[in-house]
Amino acid sequence: MRPHELLTPTPSGLYCPPADVYIDPVRPVARALITHGHADHARAGHGAVLATRETLGIMAVRYGAVFTQQQQVAAWGERVRIGEVGFTFHPAGHVLGSAQIAVDAGGLRIVASGDYKRAADRTCATFEPVRCDVFITEATFGLPVFRHPDTAGEVAKLLDSLALFPERCHVIGAYALGKAQRLVALIRDAGYDRPIHVHGAMEKLMGFYEAHGVPLGDIRKVVAAERKTLAGEIVICPPSAVQDLWARQLPDPVTAFASGWMRIRARAR
Ligand SMILES: [Zn+2]
């Protein structure tokens, strides 16, 4: 079997003809294998979904319990056979539950990485290298222009800024799934144990991580009536909320973003 006979790109996504399944399809299909819960990989409306327990849980949090007609849990490292093809999920180190999917048939093995990272992150299982014939890689930050600063150094800047400007609220934009929890973990690991305040859009996912064995400390949802009391506090919100009225109503905000990495940069006053 040649690689493109096992996995091939189609308008609906990466397709495996001999098993009639898609990996991270972009439109509703009968059978989908999902690498992780981010919206550009995990969509609602497929007939059946095979994914890790955590990814299925995250999809239920985001889309409601009936995001698909049929769910099947993929256990780490356990080969699921569909027709003549085997599918095995391995940790991708990206967000809770994120997987690379190894697809094998007739002695050929292809690994579709999904999003992955090799840097340390205690909020999810560590990336696992998988021996294969073909590796299909995501490359979001693959260009040499991306040089990610040391995360501990960025968190130290945040905590220094808090000490320097105790009258200002420190607002950080971070994606609700993965980045926000990693950011909280990094802040906790730096010894900060005060409450961390979060936008309502990420409260459920914070609770989901906690329930799946990722302690995040004292997390509090920002309540409109209490915004004025958040001087000197850390607030995490979706990146889109940083520039809008939501963040401007916080006391004299210092803003920053945690994207592929995190960079703390105060906005000019
Ligand atoms: Zn992702």
Side-chain angles (χ1 to χ4, degrees):
M1 187 176 286
R2 286 181 295 181
H4 73 268
E5 294 170 327
L6 186 54
L7 273 182
T8 187
T10 72
S12 293
L14 202 52
Y15 180 57
C16 176
D20 192 22
V21 300
Y22 290 82
I23 295 177
D24 292 350
V26 296
R27 44 180 87 147
V29 299
R31 301 182 86 177
L33 280 62
I34 305 294
T35 59
H36 67 287
H38 278 148
D40 53 337
H41 294 259
R43 294 168 173 83
H46 302 308
V49 170
L50 173 66
T52 64
R53 188 179 302 282
E54 293 88 346
T55 295
L56 292 172
I58 288 165
M59 290 177 79
V61 167
R62 309 193 107 180
Y63 304 129
V66 285
F67 63 88
T68 180
Q69 290 159 31
Q70 202 186 317
Q71 302 180 25
Q72 186 182 346
V73 173
W76 294 122
E78 209 167 89
R79 188 172 180 267
V80 176
R81 214 177 122 168
I82 303 174
E84 295 304 305
V85 187
F87 297 89
T88 314
F89 286 58
H90 300 273
H94 175 53
V95 299
L96 189 62
S98 66
Q100 317 167 66
I101 301 177
V103 183
D104 74 89
L108 175 71
R109 182 187 288 145
I110 302 178
V111 169
S113 73
D115 290 337
Y116 66 100
K117 76 171 178 297
R118 293 176 299 156
D121 180 354
R122 72 165 169 85
T123 67
C124 61
T126 304
F127 175 86
E128 179 186 301
V130 181
R131 198 174 288 280
C132 60
D133 302 294
V134 178
F135 185 62
I136 302 172
T137 179
E138 294 274 347
T140 314
F141 296 106
L143 290 171
V145 68
F146 293 110
R147 288 276 178 265
H148 296 184
D150 167 52
T151 49
E154 295 304 297
V155 169
K157 280 191 225 170
L158 169 66
L159 298 181
D160 285 351
S161 179
L162 265 176
L164 202 57
F165 304 110
E167 75 290 357
R168 302 184 69 182
C169 180
H170 285 63
V171 186
I172 306 169
Y175 292 121
L177 169 60
K179 292 296 179 292
Q181 294 78 18
R182 184 183 184 208
L183 175 59
V184 170
L186 288 166
I187 293 170
R188 295 302 187 207
D189 291 349
Y192 186 86
D193 57 7
R194 288 185 46 72
I196 293 177
H197 305 265
V198 302
H199 189 283
M202 50 186 57
E203 187 196 21
K204 272 191 185 167
L205 283 168
M206 291 284 172
F208 186 89
Y209 268 64
E210 280 272 355
H212 287 77
V214 183
L216 299 173
D218 189 350
I219 299 291
R220 298 186 190 177
K221 180 176 144 182
V222 175
V223 178
E226 294 170 4
R227 272 186 221 174
K228 291 289 166 225
T229 68
L230 296 177
E233 302 288 343
I234 296 174
V235 171
I236 303 175
C237 64
S240 59
V242 172
Q243 305 296 353
D244 70 16
L245 192 61
W246 189 89
R248 289 206 298 273
Q249 288 172 342
L250 294 164
D252 199 11
V254 176
T255 60
F257 293 92
S259 58
W261 64 101
M262 188 175 68
R263 198 179 283 278
I264 302 298
R265 189 182 289 138
R267 191 186 61 178
R269 300 174 88 161

